[in-house]
Each structure stands twice: as structure tokens, then as C-alpha cells.
Amino acid sequence: MRRVQLPGSDGDGPKKVVVLSYLPLLTGEPGRVLSVGDEGFKRLMAEADRCPSGLADACLWMAEGGGVFPIFVLPQTHATAEHLLAWSENRPGDWFALCFAQRQGRYVAALFPNLVASVERFEAAYLASHDEPSRAASYELLFRPLAFVSDVRHTFKKVKKMIGSTSMVGFVEPSDFDPATPSSLNAEHIQRVGPFNVCWNAKPFDMSIEAVLSQLLAAASDPENN
């Protein structure tokens, strides 16, 4: 699970509010507030830990209209795609950016959530249920991007120039993909979501994600995760 800190107000509210942003398949009540020591909070964190990691097994590239778009080979892919659409209120392009980065000889492709909008949605829900803003001094956001991290042997250089300023993202189940014959993938098994704005500067929604990229790369480089 990734963590990001954002400043809040100078009001007389709590010093810090933990906001659950996007975590694959995690559902909850908008605006619900739990104290860190509550049993309900502990159960929610345990449920979040059981949610999918969001890391794709592979990333394929589909040619379309003179360009290409990525396809994440992801367990529970259809449930994840439907949850992503529900979480983004069927406006995925407003709530996620498709980020690409090259670091340490690898490339990263990630659907990164709009964290600022997550705070705004929390405050709107809190106001609706409490008739006043939270007046939090700061926010700690917990989230998991949907992402793929390549190994050092990849063909990203060949497809990079064919990625447009906006892009769809495809999702497919591992059982529908044979690594030995990737061209045999049935297009009818691909669930498409988007389009998303494409980000190359590691600052989707004007937020630096360099720390998150480092965490993803470190996890991919860990022998225990390979």
C-alpha cells in the first residue's frame, strides 16, 4: 500500500485524517470516519491488505488507429475493471492518469489515482454527513495504483513513440493469455477502460510520484517477488 501526505487546513479539526483513495476491489462508505484505534479501522486495514496488489503479470501492446495502447494481464481483471469504473463514477479519465516512466533499465506503466480529488470527495461526503468540514490539518492518503514494472529486457523503446497523448487501457485475465504465443490472444477477452491522459513527467495531477515509482521498482527488483 502506498502513502502520500497532503496539507490540510489550519482549523481546529483533527491533526491528521487518513483518506482511503483507490485500492483495487476495496469498497467503503464515503465520508465515513473511524479513529485509528477503532476495531472498525483495524478491520478495514486488514481488508485493504487482502485486496489485490494491483501489479500486472505482464503488459501487452495492442495496435489501433496508427498507435498502441497497453493491456495489463491482471488477476481478477474484470472485477478490477468494473470496480475502477464504479470508484471513478464512470469518469475514469478524470480520476486516473496513465503514467509511463523509465528507470534503472526498466519501464513502468501505471494508472495513478487523482489524490487531490480523493481528498475533495472525502470532504464533500464528510460535509454532507456532518454539516461541517473536517478541518483536518493534514491528510494521509492510502492507495494502490494498477501498474506493471518490466524487467531489463523489454521492447518499450519500439512502442513508446506510438503512444498518444491519451490512451485506452486494456485488461485481460492471465488464463486468457499464453506467454508463449501472445499473438493468439482473443481480442474479445480484452476489457477496455478509458481514455486516460498520458503522463511522462512523473507528475500526474501536478503531484510528484517519484517516491511511488521507486517503491514499485524496488518491489520488482526484490528476488522474493520474482
Side-chain angles (χ1 to χ4, degrees), residues 145-197:
L146 298 179
F148 171 74
V149 183
S150 76
D151 60 23
V152 295
R153 299 177 302 278
H154 57 76
T155 60
F156 187 62
K157 184 184 298 184
K158 296 180 180 179
V159 300
K160 180 178 178 180
K161 60 185 178 182
M162 300 175 66
I163 300 171
S165 59
T166 62
S167 175
M168 300 296 288
V169 173
F171 296 91
V172 68
E173 289 280 357
S175 59
D176 291 328
F177 168 65
D178 182 359
T181 57
S183 61
S184 66
L185 176 64
N186 188 336
E188 293 182 356
H189 293 160
I190 302 170
Q191 185 163 352
R192 302 182 184 203
V193 179
F196 303 94
N197 288 326

Side-chain angles (χ1 to χ4, degrees), residues 62-112:
M62 176 70 75
E64 185 175 71
V68 297
F69 67 89
I71 301 172
F72 289 164
V73 180
L74 196 69
Q76 297 180 272
T77 188
H78 298 299
T80 299
E82 293 301 327
H83 173 259
L84 184 150
L85 288 171
W87 187 88
S88 63
E89 301 167 356
N90 286 313
R91 294 181 288 113
D94 293 339
W95 283 91
F96 292 86
L98 176 57
C99 300
F100 294 104
Q102 291 177 275
R103 303 285 190 279
Q104 302 172 21
R106 302 169 181 260
Y107 82 86
V108 181
L111 276 175
F112 198 88

